[in-house]
Amino acid sequence: MAPERSAANKPTPVDIMFRSRISSIFGLLAILAASVPRSVAQAPDQREKLPADPQITAALMQVSAQRIQADIEKLVSFQTRLTLSAPDADSIKAGHGIGAAREWIKAEFERYSLDCGGCLEIKTDSFTEAPADRIPRPTVITNVYAVLKGTDPDSSKRIVLVTGHYDSRNSDTFDVTGNAPGANDDASGTAVSLECARVLSKLKFPATIIFLAVAGEEQGLNGSRHFAKMARDQGWNIEAVLNNDIVGGDRNSQQDPGVVRVFSEGVPVAATDAELRLIRNLGGESDSASRQVARYIAEVGRTYQTGVKPLLEFRLDRYLRGGDHISFNQQGYAAVRFTEYREDYHHQHQNVRSENGIEYGDLPKWVNFDYVASVARVNAATLASLASAPAPPMQVRLQTKELENNSTITWAASAGNLSYEILWRATTSPEWEKMQAIGNVTRTTLAMSKDNVIFAVRAVDILGHRSVPVVPQPER
Ligand SMILES: [Zn+2]
């Protein structure tokens, strides 16, 4: 049990916005803005930059655009990966259809595992989906995943997960034989899962990482729904799900290859009525567990050189669209979606053809492999940071027994040589603005009103790995 002591004595918070630098940079930016094509990534980022872990920095250098290109072209070579396409032995042998794709993904994971002395456990989650809107007959759907088990007996129960869907489609969701290359949607996301597995399996982490490729996404999120429910039924402690879907950086003239969008739910779909009441009363609409993961990703993007900046989108998904992260949200897990900045709908869910001078189809020639590699780096850095970090603090409470202008926060002591940091931001601010390190305590009182800010607590280990911050629940 860590000693309890109050940290009310003169907080000296670190201002996460390093305002002093801004004036000198502004002049330079004004000149740059006039001469360089506009990119969302060019906005000056003055927020907190945490120290990088040299092991993670080195791993990111291993991410290869050439490997990713080879993965995507291989997935496209199966001609169609429609969930309803032929899964029989002859088709697999001929390298045609979703069965062939599945076997290849499995073999890739097995190859990576051979390279790390059998460090990956390769598994499948196979089930028969009953007929539904986009499933005309009972259909076997198989998710493939590789588990890099954590090295610490306690921490290994904590799981971070990266996923993409390996099924594809063309203009017709029932066309079982027609070409459906799905290079961007979603061989790109599948390649991110594979490349993260290849690079991170060479390292060891206290917590567990799962690299997942699901099927059935285009028929109605069937694969991820089954997987997320299995995880919930078996009590898996998944801290974060990173879903990559359409991360190819489509080569259209309005693309911004400097950013990747990160979608996260605000009010959790799985919130209970009591939780919804608290969210309404206390302004918790932007503090779901998924949103904390999104903020964590933004911070990772500032700490590591990935080649792409996470652009947080405070909504579940794009208009009229959904994805596999939603299946995990529905089971109460924190899950976000990565998607390129500007999609070209001529290159998604389309038969490959040319019409009135427009080329349709989801072909590898539209994919920017360097961009996919950058997105893979953001994912790998996030997975590695979370799998290295201590568990998030538990039972985090904000004392609200009486009216007072100070704020007292308490939490349960965690095992290990940890310290804690309090973060806060204005109720109107998207990201954490201030931080105060408070040492190895389980209680602190800050001389500021809880009515004016949103607080969070995160755990820090001796090497500087930070947990996902946890927003306190009120305690009366
Ligand atoms: Zn997709």
Side-chain angles (χ1 to χ4, degrees):
M1 186 76 185
E4 288 214 353
R5 70 186 155 82
S6 166
N9 37 351
K10 311 233 174 33
T12 48
V14 175
D15 192 334
I16 294 174
M17 308 284 288
F18 297 102
R19 291 174 209 284
S20 57
R21 283 202 211 143
I22 291 177
S23 57
S24 58
I25 289 169
F26 265 176
L28 179 62
L29 278 172
I31 298 163
L32 284 174
S35 56
V36 175
R38 291 180 70 80
S39 161
V40 178
Q42 284 175 352
D45 211 328
Q46 303 298 319
R47 286 178 180 274
E48 181 181 36
K49 206 172 160 188
L50 294 170
D53 176 335
Q55 173 181 262
I56 298 175
T57 302
L60 299 188
M61 313 251 289
Q62 304 298 311
V63 172
S64 157
Q66 288 73 33
R67 298 292 299 250
I68 284 169
Q69 176 171 0
D71 290 348
I72 291 173
E73 285 171 351
K74 184 69 190 181
L75 286 162
V76 169
S77 78
F78 301 117
Q79 295 151 69
T80 179
R81 305 185 307 278
L82 188 79
T83 299
L84 311 173
S85 64
D88 59 281
D90 283 349
S91 303
I92 292 171
K93 216 167 150 207
H96 188 281
I98 191 154
R102 177 194 69 214
E103 291 306 310
W104 177 77
I105 292 166
K106 231 163 49 180
E108 279 298 287
F109 281 142
E110 275 156 9
R111 216 158 52 82
Y112 306 157
S113 190
L114 270 182
D115 284 348
C116 63
C119 73
L120 294 173
E121 195 184 347
I122 291 79
K123 302 180 97 167
T124 52
D125 161 36
S126 206
F127 61 100
T128 302
E129 192 70 288
D133 272 6
R134 293 181 178 180
I135 302 201
R137 66 194 74 82
T139 300
V140 175
I141 294 178
T142 302
N143 303 316
V144 186
Y145 59 110
V147 182
L148 179 63
K149 195 156 167 47
T151 52
D152 180 85
D154 278 336
S155 299
S156 67
K157 292 176 193 127
R158 298 171 44 225
I159 298 167
V160 289
L161 185 150
V162 60
T163 186
H165 70 87
Y166 71 93
D167 63 311
S168 69
R169 59 165 289 185
N170 56 29
S171 302
D172 175 2
T173 30
F174 300 100
D175 178 1
V176 296
T177 52
N179 193 23
N184 194 347
D185 187 10
D186 184 31
S188 66
T190 305
V192 167
S193 272
L194 285 167
E195 189 65 355
C196 285
R198 190 182 70 82
V199 164
L200 297 182
S201 58
K202 294 171 179 157
L203 307 179
K204 301 218 179 309
F205 302 96
T208 295
I209 307 179
I210 293 180
F211 310 93
L212 173 63
V214 298
E217 198 273 351
E218 302 291 9
Q219 312 308 122
L221 312 182
N222 308 72
S224 58
R225 187 179 306 118
H226 188 269
F227 190 94
K229 186 168 185 313
M230 171 183 76
R232 179 53 72 200
D233 289 348
Q234 296 182 7
W236 295 13
N237 176 16
I238 304 179
E239 266 178 28
V241 172
L242 312 182
N243 174 32
N244 290 270
D245 197 350
I246 310 177
V247 291
D250 180 274
R251 297 176 185 276
N252 62 69
S253 59
Q254 283 149 300
Q255 188 61 274
D256 185 344
V259 296
V260 60
R261 293 182 291 174
V262 181
F263 290 86
S264 59
E265 68 175 2
V267 177
V269 65
T272 63
D273 284 350
E275 287 164 345
L276 289 174
R277 258 196 309 281
L278 276 180
I279 287 168
R280 273 197 298 269
N281 291 346
L282 301 170
E285 295 89 347
S286 193
D287 281 289
S288 65
S290 300
R291 195 140 296 167
Q292 307 311 347
V293 169
R295 291 187 179 105
Y296 193 97
I297 292 165
E299 194 165 80
V300 164
R302 289 187 283 270
T303 299
Y304 293 96
Q305 300 228 332
T306 61
V308 73
K309 177 184 166 181
L311 173 68
L312 303 193
E313 300 286 3
F314 282 3
R315 54 169 44 122
L316 176 62
D317 209 322
R318 303 99 74 227
Y319 282 88
L320 300 174
R321 310 294 288 273
D324 292 316
H325 57 306
I326 296 172
S327 296
F328 289 91
N329 288 155
Q330 284 168 340
Q331 295 297 332
Y333 290 119
V336 302
R337 176 195 185 122
F338 288 88
T339 296
E340 66 192 15
Y341 181 67
R342 191 177 192 281
E343 297 167 77
D344 187 329
Y345 304 110
H346 296 136
H347 301 157
Q348 295 176 10
H349 303 186
Q350 294 285 349
N351 289 345
V352 179
R353 67 194 192 280
S354 206
E355 242 175 55
N356 303 321
I358 297 170
E359 288 187 84
Y360 293 85
D362 191 351
L363 297 166
K365 70 174 177 179
W366 308 121
V367 173
N368 176 346
F369 304 107
D370 288 325
Y371 179 83
V372 186
S374 295
V375 175
R377 277 183 215 105
V378 176
N379 276 265
T382 304
L383 294 167
S385 297
L386 286 169
S388 305
M394 307 273 278
Q395 297 166 51
V396 184
R397 301 282 182 265
L398 182 60
Q399 298 306 316
T400 58
K401 286 191 182 71
E402 47 199 302
L403 294 171
E404 56 176 341
N405 283 308
N406 286 342
S407 302
T408 296
I409 306 168
T410 62
W411 55 95
S414 306
N417 189 3
L418 303 180
S419 65
Y420 295 90
E421 291 173 346
I422 307 293
L423 304 173
W424 64 94
R425 64 179 209 272
T427 58
T428 51
S429 294
E431 286 198 64
W432 303 112
E433 295 172 315
K434 311 251 184 176
M435 184 276 284
Q436 189 181 344
I438 53 161
N440 189 3
V441 298
T442 57
R443 176 189 189 91
T444 189
T445 298
L446 298 152
M448 74 180 86
S449 170
K450 54 191 153 297
D451 301 329
N452 302 337
V453 296
I454 293 168
F455 286 112
V457 184
R458 71 183 171 197
V460 189
D461 73 8
I462 45 167
L463 297 173
H465 300 119
R466 265 84 175 172
S467 76
V468 173
V470 177
V471 172
Q473 296 292 304
E475 182 167 84
R476 290 208 286 185

